Amino acid sequence: MLPQSSTFLFLASLLAVLPVNADGIYSNKSPVLQVNQKTYGSLIANSNHTSIVEFYAPWCGHCKNLKPAYEKAAQNLNGLAKVAAVNCDEDENKPFCGQMGVQGFPTLKIVTPSKKAGRPHVQDYQGPRTAKGIVDAVVNNIPNHVKKATDKNLDNWLEQNEERPKAILFTEKGTTSSLIRALAIDFLDVIDIAQVRNKESSSVEKFGIEEFPTLVVIPSGDSEYKVYDGELKKQPILDFLSKFAEPNPDATGKAAPANRPKAKPKSKPASKSASDDGDNKTSTETPESKPTPASAPPIPTLATPETLESACLAVKSNTCVLALLPATGDESELPAPATEALSSLAEIAHKHALRGVNLFPVHAIPDINTASENLRSVLGLNDSQTVELIAVNARRGWWRRFSGEEFGLASVESWIDAIRLGEGSKEKLPEGLVAEAEPKTETPKEEAEHDEL
Ligand SMILES: *[C@@H]1O[C@H](CO)[C@@H](O)[C@H](O)[C@H]1NC(C)=O
Ligand SMILES: *[C@@H]1O[C@H](CO)[C@@H](O)[C@H](O)[C@H]1NC(C)=O
Ligand SMILES: *[C@@H]1O[C@H](CO)[C@@H](O)[C@H](O)[C@H]1NC(C)=O
């Protein structure tokens, strides 16, 4: 009796801790997008992206068995397509699941946008219930809005829709990757995207392309093209293209928390009038009240050589922006330029966060971090009484210094923007700053990478 009840208590407390959303099988942290009868229209049916939707019931064993593969598929398809689930056991979803023709659980449907907005093509997925099977089927249904251009028609294509920026992917491939197709959907009717093969020699020459794949952007009303030199991954390319034009509302980046249905309050509204009062109060406040710039949280500090190394100076580290703070001596007060630099960086980071745009990590390096002195001396920034702003990319082996006279928001921001766009000159990162790679046993990838160009 006793052992049993203590097991029960243990299980009960374990269950209470697990963050499960409204008794569904996917937690709030799951990469699977939870959809209901109300949000299906805006998130799935009206999307320009392809989706797969699982209709399930929490008590169904096959649904629970599918969960790991389905979550894995959601991870692999992040940024390429939507992976969603509807809990048909919820009262509000029951009629909807019926309308969708669901007769057993789980039912998987691939929803592909058609030419008519809001009237997608819906087909049952009958393939294997594995991550690979699901990913392959969804990827095959991602619409292709990428123009395949040749030497003959590239100029013609560039002249169309004059007002729009254009992006060209130069590639050795004859096929159009799911990544570039997803980007063309994110920027549908906003940025035109073409793909040009390496054998189109006059186009390749015209843009001075030496490596494949290479992505270039021709901003509107500007013949100067820009070459993308960041990582060939969805999110950084999306961020880069967003500098030239705003992507469509349902651009698939990192699973945006705003796309998630709000956590339902567990308790039912106890008394109607009480909740009305509450509503009355909250609704008089402006719902879209923007946080004031003053609320920008300070940028994180890396106080030890180890944290600096793992965040920014490991072999695989991408671009980081560092504020090397001056020695403060006994005083804990930073000199004014350093304070100004920190507040400019904080505000820039905050602005990006509010817009949901990824910015590279921005860190303050206090003088007490012993790596700071080494960094200054190797980079020749030998005046320890001044604040220095630098950008470092350990993976690609470059760094650059902010050389402005003052650290106001506008000048720091234009420096940051130039880094984002890959503009301006970079210095070669001296030897010895970047930590050696730790010998690592790579686990072989058993599945095709779709998140590449
Ligand atoms: C879908 O694409 C059109 C452009 O063809 C765009 O106007 C619309 O906002 C996009 N829809 C969403 C939900 O992003
Ligand atoms: C409800 O809102 C009205 C104005 O719309 C206001 O006059 C009233 O005091 C509010 N009631 C409560 C309880 O907040
Ligand atoms: C710092 O180094 C530069 C060369 O990089 C040199 O010209 C300058 O005099 C040095 N300053 C100090 C304070 O050592």
Side-chain angles (χ1 to χ4, degrees), residues 277 280-281 284:
D277 268 352
N280 191 13
K281 265 183 216 147
T284 50

Side-chain angles (χ1 to χ4, degrees), residues 39 83 96 105 150 218 222 277 301 326 360 446:
T39 56
V83 175
F96 170 61
F105 301 123
T150 60
I218 304 107
D222 191 349
D277 268 352
T301 294
F360 15 72
E446 82 271 33

Side-chain angles (χ1 to χ4, degrees), residues 324 374-382 390 392 399 401 428-430 433:
L324 304 180
N374 181 39
L375 205 53
R376 282 181 187 261
S377 83
V378 174
L379 299 179
L381 309 169
N382 46 5
I390 61 172
V392 181
W399 74 285
R401 172 173 179 247
K428 194 170 181 304
L429 204 58
L433 271 185

